Amino acid sequence: MTTKLLFRDDFYLSTAEGTVTVLHEDGAIELDQTCFYATSGGQPGDIGFFERADGSRIEIATTKNGATKDIILHVPAEGQPSPLVGEKLTIHIDWPRRYKLMRMHTACHILSVVCPYPVTGAAVGEDESRIDFDMSEIPDPLDKTTATERMMAIINQNHPVYLQWITDEELAANPDLVKSKNVRPPVGLGRVSLVCIGENSSIDSQPCGGTHVSETQEVGPVYISKIEKKGKENRRFRIRFGTPEETA
């Protein structure tokens, strides 16, 4: 059974109501609708808890996709009680964690603007993220200081960040929108979300199903903590919150 993905229309929705539709043998819970984001595209799935009518809680340890992207499986922590099919629950995301991931994911998009090279891998984290770029044909790649300065310039200009939907056919007709070298955006659902930065996508536009803040200034101070050489092609850029001086 498919799940209505409430986060698609509101990344800031941290609480909602849902009805249990399926209980799996491993304990995973499906709801008719959810604001929990499932692990995908390098971004970890949400954690949090479900509140039952009697006020008791079911702690959720992670969220993942089922057989398709529109099936969301909420995985309880060990030893949690199991709800009943048809039971109505109030669902609560761990908002401080989600918001950090939204800020970090947006920072990753900004880094991909500063480093406009094919992306070969990425992982979004609460305190540190990484992006791997194919820079094999770049004779003089960016250093940490320059990359940081260019990222912070975009962040401080406070550009809007928003979603725009296009059809699978429109994406196929515009392959340059895809920055990832190894992972293709999910198609087959009829439409694909573009994350756009700047008025009329003046800064960036790329397919992404993750969660993001609504303006670049919300990202806050970030810096490139390390650039690592990974084989002949790849350069791994690590992003952290704060400033280099704060961690020196």
Side-chain angles (χ1 to χ4, degrees):
M1 183 174 293
T2 60
T3 309
K4 184 178 181 181
L5 310 181
L6 300 176
F7 61 83
R8 276 277 170 261
D9 298 313
D10 185 359
F11 294 149
Y12 292 81
L13 184 65
S14 62
T15 302
E17 293 185 345
T19 300
V20 179
T21 56
V22 181
L23 291 176
H24 293 261
E25 290 185 3
D26 63 357
I29 303 166
E30 289 187 46
L31 304 174
D32 62 337
Q33 60 179 18
T34 187
C35 53
F36 276 59
Y37 177 81
T39 301
S40 182
Q43 179 175 329
D46 282 319
I47 64 175
F49 67 93
F50 294 168
E51 182 181 357
R52 310 180 81 175
D54 63 1
S56 63
R57 292 160 57 137
I58 301 171
E59 301 290 340
I60 302 301
T62 190
T63 308
K64 60 184 182 180
N65 287 118
T68 61
K69 291 287 186 179
D70 54 0
I71 296 176
I72 305 295
L73 304 178
H74 309 83
V75 182
E78 187 175 353
Q80 295 299 297
S82 180
L84 303 173
V85 173
E87 183 175 350
K88 295 185 181 299
L89 303 168
T90 303
I91 56 182
H92 301 267
I93 288 174
D94 180 334
W95 174 248
R97 176 181 180 273
R98 158 71 88 80
Y99 190 54
K100 289 179 76 173
L101 291 170
M102 288 166 58
R103 292 167 57 208
M104 263 296 192
H105 203 150
T106 307
C108 289
H109 281 250
I110 293 170
L111 177 57
S112 75
V113 174
V114 170
C115 298
Y117 313 116
V119 175
T120 57
V124 181
E126 297 174 57
D127 300 305
E128 181 181 88
S129 297
R130 65 166 175 82
I131 304 184
D132 298 345
F133 296 98
D134 180 351
M135 303 179 73
S136 56
E137 298 181 7
I138 309 302
D140 187 21
L142 289 176
D143 58 55
K144 294 187 299 182
T145 300
T146 302
T148 296
E149 289 174 349
R150 293 182 183 179
M151 287 184 68
M152 287 308 306
I154 294 173
I155 289 168
N156 291 332
Q157 288 162 3
N158 204 22
H159 298 282
V161 183
Y162 58 95
L163 286 187
Q164 179 180 339
W165 292 92
I166 62 172
T167 65
D168 291 353
E169 292 74 21
E170 288 173 320
L171 178 62
N174 294 274
D176 290 344
L177 288 172
V178 181
K179 294 190 176 185
S180 176
K181 183 177 180 180
N182 301 326
V183 180
R184 311 306 295 175
V187 295
L189 298 177
R191 64 175 188 165
V192 177
S193 60
L194 298 181
V195 174
C196 305
I197 301 177
E199 296 290 346
N200 299 314
S201 307
S202 59
I203 302 299
D204 191 40
S205 178
Q206 58 178 294
C208 183
T211 62
H212 308 82
V213 295
S214 63
E215 53 188 19
T216 58
Q217 199 169 60
E218 287 185 64
V219 172
V222 295
Y223 68 100
I224 303 302
S225 63
K226 184 182 293 186
I227 300 176
E228 303 167 277
K229 187 174 182 180
K230 296 291 182 179
K232 295 181 179 180
E233 296 182 349
N234 295 325
R235 296 294 184 277
R236 175 167 294 174
F237 285 63
R238 295 190 179 275
I239 311 171
R240 295 191 65 86
F241 285 126
T243 66
E245 293 76 19
E246 293 173 346
T247 57

